[in-house]
Amino acid sequence: AQSVSQHNHHVILSEAASLELGCNYSYGGTVNLFWYVQYPGQHLQLLLKYFSGDPLVKGIKGFEAEFIKSKFSFNLRKPSVQWSDTAEYFCAVGPLSGGYNKLIFGAGTRLAVHP
Amino acid sequence: EAGVAQSPRYKIIEKRQSVAFWCNPISGHATLYWYQQILGQGPKLLIQFQNNGVVDDSQLPKDRFSAERLKGVDSTLKIQPAKLEDSAVYLCASSLGSSGNEQFFGPGTRLTVL
């Protein structure tokens, strides 16, 4: 079955620390990859996405993610976090089956950044 | 641009009662999705519409859940009868098309079944 695994459920960092959130997926075919973020009290919103091309993709607010096909991974990184990055982060995979835009989400990682 | 609208935002019901949720997607978005997000888990797709047709309802518990998207715009999701394990946030999302497009999410409806 298709699945997405996020390694850390809770991460606590101090401001200016570096961030890396792990994401692995199980699916043998071609996929689109996404990171969504949910800030406190707000909707889920897209942080960045990978469809094809350069496996290092840059998103909003200084986030980036690297697709490593051989490891079925799509880890999220940020060199220096801010208090405003406190949020829940979801990795999602969109299998390209039947041409439909289905998303399979991981369980999420709750990030708390302390000033 | 107005976002995805959902109502109500919160609902508390007793088990075995029925409940309905409403979603208005972003104007012009052909594809509409309903997700269930149980506490501590990521969103799980329940049903996906392309215009007013269902393209994926493989994870919809059809004995108690139903959804429709009349006229290819607004959608309603119904649970009848509700069970305790249906307590969750129900998210509606929409996208322009069906392949590779960003999904835009609404604020969700938090359902508590007592």
Side-chain angles (χ1 to χ4, degrees):
Chain A
Q2 302 156 358
S3 66
V4 177
S5 174
Q6 291 186 239
H7 311 305
N8 311 97
H9 293 297
H10 293 93
V11 173
I12 302 173
L13 295 173
S14 298
E15 276 194 317
S18 64
L19 170 71
E20 180 159 3
L21 301 182
C23 173
N24 285 90
Y25 64 93
S26 64
Y27 183 73
T30 304
V31 294
N32 296 328
L33 297 158
F34 305 81
W35 276 96
Y36 277 82
V37 61
Q38 187 166 26
Y39 297 102
Q42 296 188 26
H43 310 177
L44 267 172
Q45 58 185 281
L46 184 68
L47 199 54
L48 49 78
K49 62 186 178 184
Y50 171 79
F51 286 179
S52 63
D54 188 345
L56 184 63
V57 293
K58 296 190 184 298
I60 60 173
K61 303 185 180 183
F63 286 89
E64 63 179 31
E66 184 176 14
F67 170 49
I68 303 179
K69 189 175 181 179
S70 61
K71 295 184 178 180
F72 296 90
S73 71
F74 190 55
N75 293 353
L76 181 71
R77 299 194 293 248
K78 185 171 183 178
S80 175
V81 295
Q82 301 172 311
W83 176 79
S84 58
D85 293 324
T86 294
E88 190 158 19
Y89 294 82
F90 293 92
C91 180
V93 168
L96 293 178
S97 60
Y100 292 110
N101 205 18
K102 179 175 181 173
L103 286 182
I104 300 166
F105 283 85
T109 297
R110 199 174 288 272
L111 171 67
V113 180
H114 293 294
Chain B
E1 177 183 82
V4 176
Q6 290 188 247
S7 68
R9 293 295 309 278
Y10 304 92
K11 190 74 177 179
I12 301 174
I13 60 173
E14 302 273 339
K15 61 183 178 185
R16 291 187 289 273
Q17 286 186 321
S18 62
V19 65
F21 312 127
W22 173 82
C23 173
N24 182 236
I26 292 173
S27 177
H29 279 195
T31 312
L32 185 146
Y33 316 79
W34 283 102
Y35 289 88
Q36 179 192 57
Q37 186 176 14
I38 293 173
L39 188 64
Q41 299 180 20
K44 181 184 82 171
L45 180 69
L46 292 175
I47 189 168
Q48 177 179 342
F49 292 93
Q50 179 72 14
N51 296 308
N52 60 351
V54 175
V55 297
D56 188 342
D57 63 356
S58 57
Q59 297 198 86
L60 186 74
K62 298 180 187 65
D63 57 334
R64 298 183 300 106
F65 285 64
S66 64
E68 59 182 11
R69 191 183 183 198
L70 300 176
K71 301 180 182 178
V73 182
D74 293 6
S75 177
T76 55
L77 176 70
K78 296 179 183 178
I79 308 175
Q80 182 179 12
K83 293 185 175 181
L84 297 177
E85 58 261 36
D86 298 331
S87 293
V89 176
Y90 290 85
L91 297 167
C92 180
S94 68
S95 65
L96 267 175
S98 61
S99 181
N101 297 118
E102 176 184 351
Q103 294 185 23
F104 294 83
F105 285 81
T109 297
R110 184 177 296 277
L111 173 67
T112 302
V113 182
L114 302 176

